[in-house]
Amino acid sequence: KPKEGEFFVMSGKNFFNMSVKKYLGFICEWTEEEYKNRTNWQARIKQFSPNAIKTFSIDGKLYAHFRFFMNYPHLCRRYAQIIGGKLAEVESVTLQKKIGEQLNEYEDFATLLGGYWHNGSFYWYTSKNEIKEPLALVGQVVDTAPSLSSVAIKGGKLCTIQLPVQFLVEFPSQKSSQK
C-alpha cells in the first residue's frame, strides 16, 4: 500500500510505490463494449459520478466538476476526453459569472479550464481565441514560467494554475449528443 505522498506506479516493466515529481500518467482499461461506447457521456458521467462532486447545466451544456489529488493539467485534459467531454472553455464574461456562481462553494482552489500558453499568450483550446486579460498565477507554484501554467477560474474570474486539484469538464449540448 502506498504511503502518504506515494503512488503505485509502473515504470518500464516493474510496479512499485514511489513519490512522483513529474509526468505521472494513468492507464484505462475497457471491455470492447465499453470502448465502443466511450463517448456516450450521459452513461459515463453516471459511471464516474463518485469523482464528480457537482454537475450542472448552463445554456444546454452539461458541466461536471471533478476533484482529485493534485494533478497535471494534461492528465485532467485526457481524463475529460476519456469520459466524452473536454475541459470547459469559458470565453464570455457572462458564462464566467454563471460558472463562478456554480463553483463558489469550491473556491478553496482554482478550477482548471481548457486553455493553454503559447508564444507569450493564453488561448482557448477549441476556438484558438486569445485570452486578452492578464491572468494571475494562483495555487501551488512549481516554477514561475508561464508555459507551465494553464487557464483556471476562481471566484468567477480567470486566472492560471500549475497543479490543479479540481477541473471542470464540458459535455456537448443535449441536442448534438443525441444524434
Side-chain angles (χ1 to χ4, degrees):
K1 178 178 178 183
K3 296 175 186 161
E4 187 173 332
E6 289 185 334
F7 298 95
F8 186 61
V9 300
M10 181 178 91
S11 182
K13 295 181 180 181
N14 300 314
F15 288 92
F16 48 93
N17 294 330
M18 69 179 282
S19 113
V20 179
K21 300 287 185 208
K22 290 185 175 183
Y23 311 117
L24 178 64
F26 57 89
I27 298 173
C28 297
E29 180 179 358
W30 288 293
T31 65
E32 192 172 324
E33 187 63 29
E34 287 171 332
Y35 186 76
K36 281 193 276 187
N37 292 317
R38 70 191 182 281
T39 59
N40 180 357
W41 59 264
Q42 292 98 330
R44 294 195 66 73
I45 195 69
K46 290 178 185 156
Q47 183 179 358
F48 285 93
S49 61
N51 293 331
I53 57 174
K54 181 172 187 163
T55 59
F56 55 93
S57 183
I58 297 176
D59 300 330
K61 288 188 180 176
L62 176 69
Y63 295 88
H65 185 234
F66 290 85
R67 193 169 200 165
F68 288 124
F69 54 89
M70 197 167 291
N71 219 325
Y72 290 98
H74 67 278
L75 291 179
C76 298
R77 189 169 44 256
R78 288 297 296 142
Y79 187 84
Q81 291 170 338
I82 285 167
I83 61 172
K86 66 176 184 173
L87 289 178
E89 297 181 23
V90 186
E91 293 195 48
S92 75
V93 174
T94 304
L95 186 56
Q96 286 175 27
K97 184 178 177 187
K98 288 179 182 178
I99 285 181
E101 289 168 2
Q102 291 291 330
L103 300 179
N104 66 359
E105 62 191 290
Y106 305 105
E107 287 184 2
D108 49 337
F109 297 102
T111 300
L112 179 69
L113 300 174
Y116 64 98
W117 172 266
H118 181 70
N119 288 341
S121 297
F122 285 98
Y123 296 88
W124 296 110
Y125 274 104
T126 305
S127 69
K128 309 289 187 224
N129 289 335
E130 182 179 355
I131 301 168
K132 300 207 186 262
E133 63 190 271
L135 305 178
L137 179 59
V138 301
Q140 183 172 342
V141 177
V142 178
D143 187 319
T144 56
S147 60
L148 297 176
S149 302
S150 295
V151 178
I153 190 167
K154 185 173 182 178
K157 297 186 189 279
L158 296 180
C159 58
T160 62
I161 191 167
Q162 291 183 346
L163 293 171
V165 173
Q166 54 195 21
F167 57 100
L168 187 64
V169 177
E170 172 185 326
F171 294 94
S173 69
Q174 303 284 348
K175 293 174 186 166
S176 68
S177 64
Q178 293 172 351
K179 293 179 181 176

